[in-house]
DNA sequence: ACCTGAACACCGTTCAAGT
DNA sequence: ACCTGAACACCGTTCAAGT
């Protein structure tokens, strides 16, 4: 099973070991001590390669982003909208794969080489749609925010599968006893659901629809929101700023 | 300074103590042991009120959301766009106030009473713009995702003020040595910057512009993205679905 | 440069016991 | 119901020392 402890380790070995632990035992198990043990090292040996646990976490973030296909996202032969959808879906899938990915992504600025390249590809793509540089940068930021936000809501929902909350107000009454939130209750099915799964297939199918391979309920909500954002962003190209309220 | 240990505690006392520690010593200091000590209790006494630390965290999330002015957000006399902006800015400000707010929000489903009421207000608001229930729910989800996503990017950036990353690839070269990411570098100023600060003033000024009191660079990027999202969402009311690519 | 061993100052949670 | 005390199985990080 195990490849056995290596004789000499490197930064990438440590990051790989950390990901293996993340996938098999969850985010809470990703510890300096645990990673070191997986490599047959003493905990303090890790500090030769990373100045802190946080630095290791940030290296993991960039490793995670390295799996994105930026070449495909930069192919001008494909519709930009389609490319954004594929890129966003891929990023969301990566974030959904591991528990606690939001903690990872929040451990420091997204200024690693792959994070910068991702941002660069997004800005360039929007500029290809005749957007000025500044707005293209804002659009890239907004798309990134949308993906991270949906990932955060996904993560929050998954975190509660095991744990039931306290569930009581100070008056002792149970939360949302009946129809006090009818709209939310009636639409919960549209927004909740599993991410990942078939998401990896997006962009591989090829020809027809943007969100053809979506089957999760949350996946279509994700695509819908992204489409509305892109609608608004791309519409800003035609009518610059002048139309006021 | 300290009000002294209480004679009898309650769930709200514990949550309050946890927030005080969060604001003064940061998220890492919010521990069962620390909260208990602040109340003059033994760590294990906390488990009489919360089944786990995570349950305490979730109670903190709902407490955080309780400060949102949902009444103002439901006032039909005010333009819906303006109400969404105020609500979103307020939520973002709350998330920006404390370090590690994203970890808090990710600790479990947003199904507390105040979270549900927030969602309810958002859905109702979009329905007031003649959107069908399903799309209104998706729009609410998208707005929430946008706020959380921007908050995540904010948090990530702040997390790096202290800590410089490893900063080296396996080849030993420094990250982003020169102009390998020109678009990102040229626009970094548009997207980075402090959140919070004057944000709390939004909605208190009153009359004229939506983002009048914004001064941070990130604040205007936040408002821009939200406006583009609302553009796309509200445009979907006029032309339902029929228009194809 | 790379790694160990011992130590410091912490964690969340369980359990048995007291009132 | 509410709280204590002891214990279990952990943390991240520093420091002095070895090679």
């Amino acid at each position: 099973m195990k490849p056995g402890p290596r004789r000499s380790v490197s930064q990438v070995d440590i990051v790989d070991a950390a990901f293996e632990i993340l996938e098999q035992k969850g985010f809470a198990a990703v510890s300096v001590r645990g990673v070191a043990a997986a490599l047959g090292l003493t905990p303090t040996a890790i500090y030769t390669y990373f100045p802190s646990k946080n630095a290791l976490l940030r290296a993991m973030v960039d490793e995670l982003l390295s799996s994105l296909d930026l070449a495909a996202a930069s192919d001008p032969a494909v519709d930009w909208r389609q490319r954004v959808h594929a890129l966003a879906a891929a990023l969301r899938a990566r974030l959904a794969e591991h528990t606690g990915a939001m903690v990872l992504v929040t451990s420091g600025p997204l200024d690693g080489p792959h994070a910068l390249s991702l941002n660069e590809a997004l800005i360039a793509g929007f500029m290809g749609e005749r957007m000025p540089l500044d707005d293209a940068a804002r659009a890239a930021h907004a798309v990134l925010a949308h993906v991270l936000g949906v990932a955060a809501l996904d993560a929050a929902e998954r975190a509660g599968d095991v744990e039931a909350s306290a569930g009581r107000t100070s008056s002792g009454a149970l939360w949302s006893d009946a129809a006090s939130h009818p709209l939310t209750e009636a639409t919960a099915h549209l927004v909740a659901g599993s991410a990942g799964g078939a998401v990896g297939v997006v962009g591989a199918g090829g020809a027809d629809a943007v969100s053809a391979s979506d089957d999760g309920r949350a996946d279509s909500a994700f695509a819908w929101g992204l489409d509305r954002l892109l609608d608004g962003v791309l519409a800003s190209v035609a009518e610059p700023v002048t139309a006021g309220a």
Side-chain angles (χ1 to χ4, degrees), chain A:
Chain A
M1 292 286 191
K2 244 187 261 181
R6 292 128 182 104
R7 199 92 59 84
S8 80
V9 286
S10 68
Q11 291 191 41
V12 295
D13 291 325
I14 295 174
V15 171
D16 286 350
F19 265 111
E20 202 160 332
I21 293 175
L22 178 60
E23 278 155 28
Q24 289 178 0
K25 306 187 188 177
F27 181 78
V30 177
S31 64
V32 174
R33 296 174 117 101
V35 172
L39 292 168
L41 291 176
T42 266
T44 52
I46 301 293
Y47 290 86
T48 304
Y49 302 93
F50 295 97
S52 66
K53 181 189 178 180
N54 208 261
L56 168 57
L57 258 33
R58 294 187 61 184
M60 290 177 73
V61 173
D62 212 66
E63 164 74 16
L64 191 139
L65 294 177
S66 74
S67 66
L68 297 177
D69 189 352
L70 294 186
S74 305
D75 179 6
V78 183
D79 179 44
W80 170 236
R81 222 185 173 90
Q82 200 167 330
R83 282 182 279 153
V84 179
H85 268 275
L87 195 57
L91 176 54
R92 174 165 174 251
R94 290 289 164 281
L95 295 175
E97 268 166 20
H98 327 89
T99 327
M102 288 310 295
V103 181
L104 225 60
V105 124
T106 287
S107 64
L110 291 175
D111 57 2
H114 293 104
L116 293 176
S117 295
L118 166 61
N119 198 42
E120 201 77 1
L122 283 171
I123 297 177
F126 280 111
M127 289 182 74
E129 302 296 302
R130 312 200 303 143
M131 288 186 75
L133 173 62
D134 287 7
D135 280 352
R138 289 187 252 257
H141 185 258
V143 167
L144 223 52
H146 188 255
V147 176
L148 292 187
V150 170
L153 289 171
D154 286 348
E157 203 158 322
R158 282 200 315 268
D161 286 354
V162 177
E163 195 129 15
S165 73
R168 290 193 219 160
T169 67
S170 50
S171 66
L174 282 174
W175 286 352
S176 92
D177 39 314
S180 43
H181 304 284
L183 306 177
T184 300
E185 269 184 31
T187 56
H189 63 102
L190 292 174
V191 133
S194 63
V199 178
V201 190
V202 169
D208 41 13
V210 166
S211 51
S213 55
D214 284 350
D215 47 84
R217 303 132 284 177
D219 293 334
S220 69
F222 171 66
W224 186 90
L226 182 56
D227 267 325
R228 296 295 78 70
L229 176 60
L230 293 175
D231 284 348
V233 164
L234 296 176
S236 75
V237 176
E239 32 160 351
V241 155
T242 13

